[in-house]
Amino acid sequence: MFFLFSDILPVLLGFRKKYGGIFKIHLGFSPPSIVVSDTKFLEYLLGSTRILDKSEDYKFLSRWLGTGLLTSGSSKWKKHRKIITPAFHFQILEQFIDIFDFYGNILIEKLGVEVGKESTNIYPYITLCSLDIICATSMGTKVNAQEDSESRYVYSVKEMCRIIIERSLSAIKMYETLYRFSKDYKKEKQALDILHGYTNSVIQSRKEEVVKSNNEDHFSSEDDIGRKKRKTFLDLLLQYKKDGQPISDEDIREEVNTFMFEGHDTTASAMSFSLYCLAKNPDVQEKVIQELQAIFTDDKDKPATHRDLQEMKYLEAVIKETLRLYPSVPIYARHVHEDVEYDEGILPKGLTIGIFAYGLHRDPEIYPNPEHFDPERFTLEKQAERSPYAYIPFSAGPRNCIGQKFAMLEMKSVISKVLRNYKLIEVLEHQLVLVAETVLKSKSGIYVQLKKRNF
Ligand code: HEM
């Protein structure tokens, strides 16, 4: 994430129109940065193994996430990416399908009270659902975010996201020495005590359980939500050993917290915008329903299997088109730590490079009539006609999003469940007001109208 002023998107889009896919910007006292959305440059940059470090802007995350996968420098990152990659193997992801379904059912029940209302801001409902899902999959715990949105843990996650955004937007709190005098500094400490305390206690109890059950049958007993134990991301990290050496508790805590942060707001944003786009485009919604009816016949409650989710090809195109127009991470950044040659020039040491996915995805030469929502842009043929660097909601290259397959399964599961239960209708007077916070959000909420559907 590249923390800038929240309403920067239209400004950068204007610069892109005027100056093209690579331009320089100065922000306050910061050293100059370049903002890029040129496919040739992105192919070089994202594919490069020499520019893997994240920019200074990620420092506001460090007290919460330490140097987990998202924020770590290249040498620690290389080691940990290798360790963590197997945790996203499809066999591991497959065991999470019933977690998606379980929390999706709670979402459907919660949304029930909104039926018949003229409009509903779906974003808070979806965020709590994705928070439940990420806690269950990364730690194996039930935080009951949807049942108890005021729980200390849930509140602290929300507080941390707010504080990080506000720090990056405030000319005063941006500076550590001044920030320490602010109320948020105290609040951050309190939130971190709760978040770190919670993760530490889960790590400890999970470790003890593994020892007690002697590793072998630990996963065959029942978990918090009464199902056969599965390996969570935390379990996989706890089991890892290289040359007899496990990963330290501190490193494990950083990685679990990174999943918690990177794995809930991003999917919540994408799912909420997808539902919004479906409400605005009833013909597209109807096509998704036809696809779902072909998969589930008339059983609106049958849990979606891994295979069912894989068959949702048109829904996948809808989600991809949503992420084109509303990429959850609209801009992210790298830091050049040594002079690097590029195209007969030099990218100097110290340069910050902002990767402007939001701007790239609205390039009319790549996506004609770019503001128009059209999932047909993501047929296999259409995708093959474009450079892979023309579509980067999950970044690309070695430092791409490790959670993208997980995210796609979760999003298909939850969105398809909402559609099997509710018809989404556009709220005509509602206008999105996009803001680039830690993830893309709408200041005015994300409103749709919900009606019961006869599936
Ligand atoms: C729609 C959902 C998601 C989107 C759009 C998304 C997008 C991204 C992007 C753009 C990056 C690169 C950020 C940067 O370079 O600063 C990234 C990295 C990352 N994402 Fe995601 N993400 C999503 C879901 C998830 C989920 C569900 C998880 C975990 C369960 C996750 C875990 C991570 C991690 C750990 C990284 C750092 C990877 C590395 O540097 O090796 N993400 N994501």
Side-chain angles (χ1 to χ4, degrees):
M1 281 121 213
F2 186 55
F3 302 108
L4 290 165
F5 309 103
S6 63
D7 49 2
I8 194 87
L9 293 174
V11 178
L12 291 183
L13 211 53
F15 287 164
R16 185 181 195 275
K17 224 175 182 177
K18 200 161 167 194
Y19 305 113
I22 306 177
F23 56 86
K24 198 162 147 187
I25 53 166
H26 284 271
L27 283 171
F29 301 112
S30 319
S33 310
I34 57 170
V35 175
V36 300
S37 51
D38 168 85
T39 45
K40 180 170 163 260
F41 188 91
L42 287 170
E43 181 166 1
Y44 166 77
L45 175 71
L46 297 175
S48 165
T49 48
R50 290 180 70 191
I51 314 178
L52 287 170
D53 286 330
K54 297 297 174 74
S55 74
E56 272 288 290
D57 309 277
Y58 292 65
K59 65 178 180 252
F60 301 123
L61 293 166
S62 66
R63 275 200 278 263
W64 183 14
L65 309 184
T67 48
L69 212 53
L70 178 70
T71 42
S72 50
S74 55
S75 65
K76 180 172 178 185
W77 169 79
K78 270 185 199 137
K79 205 171 117 214
H80 277 225
R81 177 90 186 197
K82 231 188 225 158
I83 297 172
I84 294 170
T85 296
F88 287 88
H89 189 276
F90 79 93
Q91 276 170 339
I92 303 286
L93 299 182
E94 209 167 357
Q95 351 154 70
F96 296 148
I97 305 294
D98 60 347
I99 295 188
F100 302 153
D101 190 72
F102 180 86
Y103 289 109
N105 283 335
I106 298 180
L107 173 69
I108 296 308
E109 189 198 313
K110 295 284 161 195
L111 285 176
V113 298
E114 299 291 337
V115 173
K117 292 191 183 165
E118 288 198 350
S119 67
T120 297
N121 182 10
I122 40 160
Y123 186 76
Y125 284 99
I126 303 284
T127 305
L128 294 175
C129 176
S130 71
L131 196 50
D132 268 339
I133 289 175
I134 201 69
C135 285
T137 49
S138 43
M139 296 186 277
T141 58
K142 197 175 178 188
V143 288
N144 286 327
Q146 295 182 91
E147 304 288 0
D148 176 15
S149 56
E150 292 313 310
S151 91
R152 276 164 29 109
Y153 184 80
V154 175
Y155 176 77
S156 304
V157 172
K158 286 198 269 181
E159 265 296 87
M160 277 310 294
C161 291
R162 178 192 66 77
I163 291 168
I164 289 164
I165 297 153
E166 289 189 9
R167 273 202 80 182
S168 65
L169 302 179
S170 156
I172 295 171
K173 287 190 249 175
M174 199 176 266
Y175 298 98
E176 183 64 25
T177 26
L178 299 176
Y179 173 62
R180 284 177 184 252
F181 291 102
S182 73
K183 281 191 190 143
D184 273 354
Y185 178 66
K186 259 196 184 152
K187 289 186 182 167
E188 179 179 351
K189 274 189 89 176
Q190 285 164 353
L192 285 176
D193 280 349
I194 293 166
L195 294 173
H196 288 170
Y198 184 79
T199 338
N200 281 339
S201 79
V202 174
I203 293 173
Q204 275 322 311
S205 63
R206 213 68 183 174
K207 257 176 139 174
E208 284 158 21
E209 268 180 63
V210 174
V211 172
K212 235 194 276 164
S213 56
N214 208 10
N215 271 339
E216 294 312 324
D217 49 19
H218 166 63
F219 301 108
S220 60
S221 52
E222 292 205 327
D223 71 0
D224 254 6
I225 65 170
R227 282 135 207 260
K228 215 171 136 229
K229 274 230 167 107
R230 54 187 66 72
K231 287 188 191 188
T232 61
F233 294 133
L234 170 59
D235 294 320
L236 292 158
L237 294 174
L238 284 171
Q239 280 185 331
Y240 180 84
K241 277 203 175 89
K242 188 161 188 229
D243 305 327
Q245 286 300 309
I247 319 173
S248 72
D249 283 2
E250 173 70 14
D251 279 350
I252 291 181
R253 191 184 75 190
E254 290 181 352
E255 297 306 351
V256 171
N257 285 330
T258 296
F259 292 157
M260 291 298 310
F261 169 72
E262 184 65 27
H264 95 276
D265 244 8
T266 45
T267 47
S269 163
M271 289 192 279
S272 305
F273 283 116
S274 296
L275 296 174
Y276 168 84
C277 292
L278 285 163
K280 263 185 100 71
N281 296 276
D283 50 330
V284 173
Q285 189 177 159
E286 193 43 47
K287 264 185 103 167
V288 179
I289 291 295
Q290 281 167 14
E291 180 175 78
L292 297 179
Q293 280 166 340
I295 297 171
F296 297 103
T297 59
D298 56 357
D299 187 348
K300 98 177 154 46
D301 298 320
K302 180 182 165 289
T305 61
H306 192 213
R307 202 199 182 129
D308 295 333
L309 297 178
Q310 278 168 326
E311 279 176 26
M312 296 178 190
K313 299 276 182 236
Y314 187 68
L315 178 55
E316 184 164 321
V318 168
I319 296 170
K320 284 183 171 169
E321 174 68 345
T322 304
L323 280 168
R324 178 185 72 80
L325 279 171
Y326 305 106
S328 310
V329 193
I331 182 159
Y332 37 96
R334 297 275 169 92
H335 171 82
V336 180
H337 72 96
E338 57 180 354
D339 286 357
V340 181
E341 283 170 26
Y342 173 71
D343 203 14
E344 294 171 16
I346 296 277
L347 299 171
K349 177 178 170 180
L351 181 72
T352 294
I353 306 178
I355 299 153
F356 188 30
Y358 181 90
L360 171 71
H361 291 175
R362 284 166 191 255
D363 183 331
E365 301 212 344
I366 307 173
Y367 301 101
N369 195 4
E371 298 295 329
H372 175 61
F373 180 82
D374 179 10
E376 302 297 330
R377 299 184 205 267
F378 288 92
T379 58
L380 289 178
E381 302 75 52
K382 281 273 180 331
Q383 288 184 90
E385 285 168 13
R386 290 190 295 262
S387 152
Y389 295 89
Y391 182 69
I392 51 166
F394 294 103
S395 187
R399 223 165 166 176
N400 69 351
C401 174
I402 201 168
Q404 56 183 295
K405 289 209 177 86
F406 173 101
M408 196 47 96
L409 291 172
E410 173 186 342
M411 294 189 289
K412 282 180 176 175
S413 173
V414 173
I415 295 172
S416 64
K417 195 170 273 289
V418 172
L419 287 176
R420 283 156 76 194
N421 285 275
Y422 301 113
K423 185 170 181 180
L424 305 168
I425 298 161
E426 179 181 15
V427 176
L428 285 173
E429 63 277 20
H430 173 57
Q431 292 286 328
L432 294 176
V433 181
L434 296 183
V435 281
E437 295 188 344
T438 46
V439 303
L440 187 71
K441 293 190 179 157
S442 165
K443 247 199 275 197
S444 57
I446 303 181
Y447 281 85
V448 299
Q449 192 189 22
L450 295 167
K451 277 201 174 154
K452 265 232 148 328
R453 180 187 296 280
N454 292 321
F455 184 71

